[in-house]
Amino acid sequence: MMCYGLVHIIVAYLAVRVAFGDSEQADQKGALQEIGATSAGAVLLWVLTVGLIAYGLWQLMMAAVGYRWVTKKSKRTRRRIACVARAVIGFSLGLYAGRLATGSGGGESGDQGQQEWTAKLMSLPARRVLVGIVALVVIGVAIAEIRRGIKKSFEQDLDMHDLPTGTQTWVRRLGTFGYIAKGAVLGIVGILLGIAAFQAQPEEAGGLDRALKTLAAQPFGSVALVVVGIGLAAFGVYCIAAARAHKY
């Protein structure tokens, strides 16, 4: 979870660079490339490879037997399904970091993969409906993340007594701001998918990188992107803190 948090902190840094006119790839893969470019890049990439794959395995474990403290069965099921999605993200980022560490190349960017995936859906019968459904799912997840931040329901997954005295309030604030920012970015990704479905143009789809750059292109976009970047950094720091206090 600490590695997962670190990736979000680097994405936040890239988002701020985009806000000031830098065209870096501002997504998780771009973050791993940024880490790999440092003097200790190879070592850090190997640490992230192990850590992110471990994160994926932990999420699979949580999907199978986790969230027993959630009393409502339907809510517990939703949490476990979300763990499967996070496991996929952890494994994909871990393997990507491993390819960078071994020098075998990272392959396509996140946006290229998103566009190719959308194009494949567009080639199927009822293509617009399928992409539209995916867009609605992503937007639904985004709303759930924002709601999670506003209601502070993430606290249910933490044992706050495991945190150092005096840090609980800051962890709550970081979690609130972080989940809202993460939900906002996911919402933009969902909207881009929806536009791609409506216009039948896969190139309109995109992942985190395109979402952040779309936000930067709006009026006052640079300011909004800096705020989102700070929020993503807050989520990253929250993940690092939650690594100590998360229930299992």
Side-chain angles (χ1 to χ4, degrees):
M1 197 163 186
M2 292 177 68
C3 290
Y4 188 64
L6 177 60
V7 170
H8 278 82
I9 292 171
I10 304 299
V11 170
Y13 162 70
L14 295 177
V16 174
R17 287 178 61 173
V18 170
F20 290 99
D22 198 317
S23 60
E24 290 287 335
Q25 183 183 334
D27 59 7
Q28 293 96 331
K29 291 186 176 181
L32 293 175
Q33 291 171 5
E34 188 77 14
I35 291 170
T38 63
S39 57
V43 175
L44 290 173
L45 284 173
W46 278 118
V47 171
L48 285 169
T49 298
V50 175
L52 289 168
I53 290 176
Y55 175 79
L57 291 171
W58 173 54
Q59 289 299 302
L60 286 181
M61 183 195 73
M62 293 292 287
V65 297
Y67 295 102
R68 288 169 292 181
W69 57 89
V70 179
T71 55
K72 194 173 181 180
K73 187 175 180 180
S74 60
K75 188 175 182 181
R76 184 167 62 247
T77 300
R78 289 196 300 271
R79 295 281 186 90
R80 290 179 173 180
I81 292 172
C83 283
V84 175
R86 287 193 291 269
V88 172
I89 293 172
F91 287 135
S92 63
L93 290 177
L95 293 173
Y96 185 81
R99 290 198 297 271
L100 290 176
T102 58
S104 58
E108 64 189 11
S109 70
D111 274 356
Q112 288 172 336
Q114 180 74 60
Q115 289 166 6
E116 288 181 9
W117 176 84
T118 306
K120 289 178 181 178
L121 278 185
M122 286 292 193
S123 67
L124 299 174
R127 50 192 177 274
R128 291 191 181 186
V129 175
L130 290 173
V131 178
I133 290 173
V134 174
L136 290 175
V137 170
V138 174
I139 291 172
V141 172
I143 293 172
E145 294 285 77
I146 293 172
R147 184 172 178 269
R148 188 170 169 80
I150 293 174
K151 297 190 70 175
K152 298 181 175 64
S153 58
F154 57 85
E155 288 186 45
Q156 299 172 7
D157 301 333
L158 304 179
D159 189 342
M160 303 299 279
H161 297 294
D162 285 343
L163 294 170
T165 304
T167 62
Q168 292 90 339
T169 299
W170 282 105
V171 170
R172 291 187 184 98
R173 291 173 179 173
L174 289 169
T176 298
F177 190 20
Y179 272 105
I180 291 173
K182 187 180 177 185
V185 175
L186 280 176
I188 298 173
V189 172
I191 291 171
L192 291 173
L193 278 170
I195 292 172
F198 182 75
Q199 297 181 348
Q201 296 177 339
E203 65 274 11
E204 293 298 326
L208 180 57
D209 177 63
R210 186 174 178 87
L212 293 174
K213 290 176 181 176
T214 297
L215 179 60
Q218 307 309 309
F220 303 104
S222 296
V223 175
L225 194 53
V226 169
V227 173
V228 168
I230 295 172
L232 290 173
F235 181 79
V237 176
Y238 162 80
C239 286
I240 294 173
R244 176 171 180 170
H246 203 290
K247 296 176 183 177
Y248 56 90

